[in-house]
Amino acid sequence: MTNPNSKLPFINLKTSLLSTCIIGLVACGGGSDHGVRASTNASSSTPAVSSSSSSSSVAPVAACTPVSTGNEGLTMLKTDGTKWVKSNGDRVCLKGTNLGNWLVQEFWMMGQGGNGVHDQCTLEAKLTERFGYDEKERLIKLFRDNWIKERDFDQLKAFGFNVIRLPILWSVIEDEKNPRTLRADAWHYLDWTIAEAKKRGIYVILDLHGAHGGQTPNDHTGCSGQNKYWTDTDYQDRTKWLWEQVATRYKDEPAVAAYDPLNEPWGSTAEDMAVRVTELYETIRKIDSKHIVMLPSHYGNIEVYGDPAAKNMNNVAFELHPYPGLFGDRPNDTHFDIHRDWLKCGQTGTGGVCDWNTKLTALKTPMLMGEFQPWQSAGLELGGKIARATYDIYAGYDWASTSWAYKLVSVAGGQGKGTWGMVTNEINTSLDTGVGMITKASTWDCNNWDSSFADACAKKATTIKAGGTGDKTYYLVVKTGANGGANPDVTFDSISLKNTATNEELLANGNFGASGGWSELTISGALNFNYNSVDASKAPTGSDGAVMHITRPDGVTGEINGALYQQVTLKGGQTYNFSGVFKGNGSVNTWAEIYLIEDAPVAGKDVVDNAGKVDFTTAPITEIEALFKSYGEVGYDVNAGLAKWLVTDEHNDVFDYPARPTNVNLVQTGNSVALTWAAVTGNGITYNVYRATSAGAKGTLVAEGLTTTSFNDSGLNEDETYYYSVAAKNSIAEGYTSAPANTQLLFVAVPAKIEAEKFTAMSGIQTEASGDTGGGTNVGHFEAGDFIEFKIKAETAGNYTIDYRLASQTGSTGFDVLIDDVVVDTMDLAATGGWQTYITKTGKSFAMTAGNHTLRFRSIGKEWNINWFEIKKQ
């Protein structure tokens, strides 16, 4: 799982309805097939399975054989078709989580890092440099002895879990100084985990999270920036040696549910992944014929393995890491809508998990949902309900599931609206207010935000109190940026810092309109600062007049990170109100953070919140020891929504939404329309009407709370096609919108440049925020047979060509281009460098008669995005 708070991209695993991490976990912009984190004790009973809404085609959730508390319940597991079963053939539902940041650290999960220390490798290197190898080993052991303790296994049981996935770094087992030699304590943490889990009837999946050399460039391999596993045969051989040791040790251990040979092996091609994972499978099978072996996906690609049975691979299960909706792939949709689409298969009833069920049923192979995160920032109650629904629906398909992740701590502590951790540390009341980060929003915390600083989704602005006495100089820093391949589109306004006693304003030009009062800071890349933006569509709610608009300059690639700042003087002992508004405008993989810091910003150096952090480069060893010990002693803030909903017998009504309206009829008269539809059954049903100018968009809410089944609209532009849809709503939620009804389809005169999202018909695709120059929206999530269609009008007969604006992280077999159902061009695509790294390709010439035509792009394979195309006459 990659750090969602770092500026590394996350990987969103795509399905036919949505995109994921993977998480992380973690990295990518929006894309087509991409995939990457006082105590409340709940009952330890196994959670009852609840049904979801009857308004979609999700498979019924059958009862599972509970795993009893005690060793007798833990028999060797095996596969049976698509099921995970016990040795006697009884179906078992494996529901649990990952013990992240324990045996391989991810610094975002413990709120630490800085000054070059940002992953396991840099930490160990710095500790060795400062204190020597033996002391480094002692300190790392101190951390591991405290991050997970017996109380954690009790809490896991209280959540109703019966499986944990254990991420492991290679050097936990192999002596880093003596290749192919076991550490003296090689099995200490694995054996202890298995023993504690067995006491509570919990299985363990052994996951090699960080292989020799790193199987991706990400920090969750232990060492970021490496990705050497794929090209170094010694690393590959030592990884096989490591699995020989693990298989020999645990081949007869029934509490080990499965071996996960290579976490998120996405640093090379899908084909390379299949070769290496197959080698590891064969290595394990020479020693252990009993345990299930996982076959990880490659950004959602499992097809690369073919049919496992046909490859003589037995007792295997596929693994997916879906993180639907996180990291900006659906910036305009709610948390509820995104997870409903994924779990309830979308409006068609065939997407999301249904699509995956179809694939797995055909392959007669089980699934492990190895990482997922449905509750983060959803609020404790809604997050708890969606998490329960996620576990139950996965179980209904016989899929095992382990969320990311069990524990996360931070300097400030507390749950807020829900963190990546099921448990976090209690709120730290000792922190001074007014120093460090004071406000934050990002596309990872909330897609397409538009809020005041006081209601910011990641960190809300509060009253600031200056410490000490006398005058003190601070710097107010407004920082934003985006990952490589992604565009920021952030606006700020009405920024104010006032003394609560005197109402004196300390900031100059917080309302913008000009550049006065602000200094610009370049950290990496470059940003475009527009101090006088008057685009009302970009203005945050509550702004007044001109606003600050921050974007990516044309021609600037890679990560961009920068800030505006000004110096302010605060008086010790006095309090100050900080306020303002900001808006995300559909940004992708973008952050917006505001700091109050004591040191003047320096070009090329990032601005971070070090309040309460331990600086591993300078801190005395006693301070580091105290930090590591605190992880085992601090009180927990348990996510109350999860503690309740994961174990309760209470009906989970989260998806009890009404059915889609049907028989929508539209009558157009000039610039007016009359809309009618059939009534939806249910109690307290009202209707919302949406209007869009694109066939694939939900559009703008133009009427809500209607109690009748009709609506009239007027004042329309007769040179535009409008698409209307209707949704029914009850006391629980709004249901899916109806099939759209549209006004007269207008044919686009060509030659012309046409945005891909302006299609008039489609099948199976999704739109998403584009990271291309100019931003906007692109179309992606293509599978074989999916299409987008356009109505065009050739002004004159002749020969034409099309320029296509395309992106693919993996490369694609592409698509056919059809004019009136006749193929006129075929376009494939090599990897462009990212899901949002676009290139322009020109197709071959074709003839077209004058008049109206239907243009269709029909996908041959998958894993390609299109932003726009331009039809040119030769």
Side-chain angles (χ1 to χ4, degrees), residues 1 65 106 118 170 206 347 427 622 627 771 806 838:
M1 178 69 189
T65 302
E106 300 182 40
H118 53 82
W170 67 269
L206 300 178
Q347 294 195 23
I427 294 175
T622 53
L627 174 69
L806 305 169
Y838 284 85

Side-chain angles (χ1 to χ4, degrees), residues 10 194 421 450 478 844:
F10 269 71
I194 292 168
D450 181 5
V478 180
K844 68 181 183 181

Side-chain angles (χ1 to χ4, degrees), residues 619-627:
I621 199 166
T622 53
E623 186 176 342
I624 298 172
E625 289 173 336
L627 174 69

Side-chain angles (χ1 to χ4, degrees), residues 370-439:
E371 295 182 15
F372 57 96
Q373 174 47 261
W375 65 79
Q376 189 262 350
S377 292
L380 301 186
E381 181 73 2
L382 177 61
K385 287 184 174 183
I386 293 179
R388 174 62 180 271
T390 302
Y391 278 110
D392 284 355
I393 289 172
Y394 288 168
Y397 289 109
D398 298 313
W399 301 341
S401 54
T402 52
S403 61
W404 193 278
Y406 165 68
K407 178 178 178 179
L408 177 146
V409 304
S410 64
V411 171
Q415 283 286 340
K417 290 186 176 181
T419 71
W420 281 84
M422 306 183 78
V423 300
T424 65
N425 50 315
E426 293 176 335
I427 294 175
N428 186 347
T429 58
S430 66
L431 290 177
D432 294 332
T433 59
V435 177
M437 181 189 292
I438 53 178
T439 303

Side-chain angles (χ1 to χ4, degrees), residues 752-782:
K753 180 180 178 181
I754 301 174
E755 296 294 331
E757 69 273 16
K758 296 295 287 184
F759 51 80
T760 56
M762 66 85 174
S763 175
I765 59 84
Q766 280 190 62
T767 60
E768 58 195 359
S770 174
D772 199 5
T773 302
T777 302
N778 67 264
V779 177
H781 301 269
F782 287 94

Side-chain angles (χ1 to χ4, degrees), residues 93-156:
C93 293
L94 297 176
K95 302 179 184 181
T97 191
N98 280 263
L99 299 187
N101 194 56
W102 182 25
L103 302 184
V104 53
Q105 289 176 317
E106 300 182 40
F107 270 50
W108 67 276
M109 297 183 70
M110 57 183 186
Q112 295 294 323
N115 293 335
V117 176
H118 53 82
D119 58 18
Q120 185 95 44
C121 283
T122 52
L123 173 65
E124 293 195 25
K126 180 55 66 174
L127 295 179
T128 301
E129 173 191 322
R130 295 188 62 204
F131 308 120
Y133 180 81
D134 290 342
E135 276 295 271
K136 179 270 290 187
E137 286 285 281
R138 184 183 68 84
L139 290 170
I140 295 300
K141 184 178 186 302
L142 183 65
F143 167 81
R144 288 173 175 163
D145 287 347
N146 281 280
W147 183 260
I148 296 293
K149 300 178 77 71
E150 288 188 18
R151 65 168 176 168
D152 296 297
F153 287 91
D154 291 335
Q155 183 61 58
L156 290 163

Side-chain angles (χ1 to χ4, degrees), residues 587-660:
S587 298
V588 176
N589 288 345
T590 294
W591 53 91
E593 303 164 350
I594 302 180
Y595 297 82
L596 192 64
I597 57 176
E598 298 179 24
D599 297 328
V602 177
K605 184 177 180 180
D606 204 359
V607 178
V608 295
D609 185 356
N610 286 317
K613 288 185 177 181
V614 170
D615 186 344
F616 294 106
T617 67
T618 59
I621 199 166
T622 53
E623 186 176 342
I624 298 172
E625 289 173 336
L627 174 69
F628 289 172
K629 287 180 181 178
S630 73
Y631 295 138
E633 299 168 351
V634 68
Y636 281 163
D637 183 352
V638 177
N639 184 307
L642 297 175
K644 172 186 175 180
W645 283 105
L646 290 184
V647 297
T648 184
D649 291 335
E650 182 180 338
H651 171 63
N652 185 358
D653 63 3
V654 68
F655 291 140
D656 287 352
Y657 49 82
R660 297 177 71 192

Side-chain angles (χ1 to χ4, degrees), residues 179-180 212 229 231-240:
R180 295 175 178 81
H212 290 281
Y229 170 82
T231 56
D232 191 310
T233 56
D234 184 57
Y235 287 149
Q236 294 165 11
D237 289 343
R238 287 169 66 184
T239 300
K240 286 187 278 188

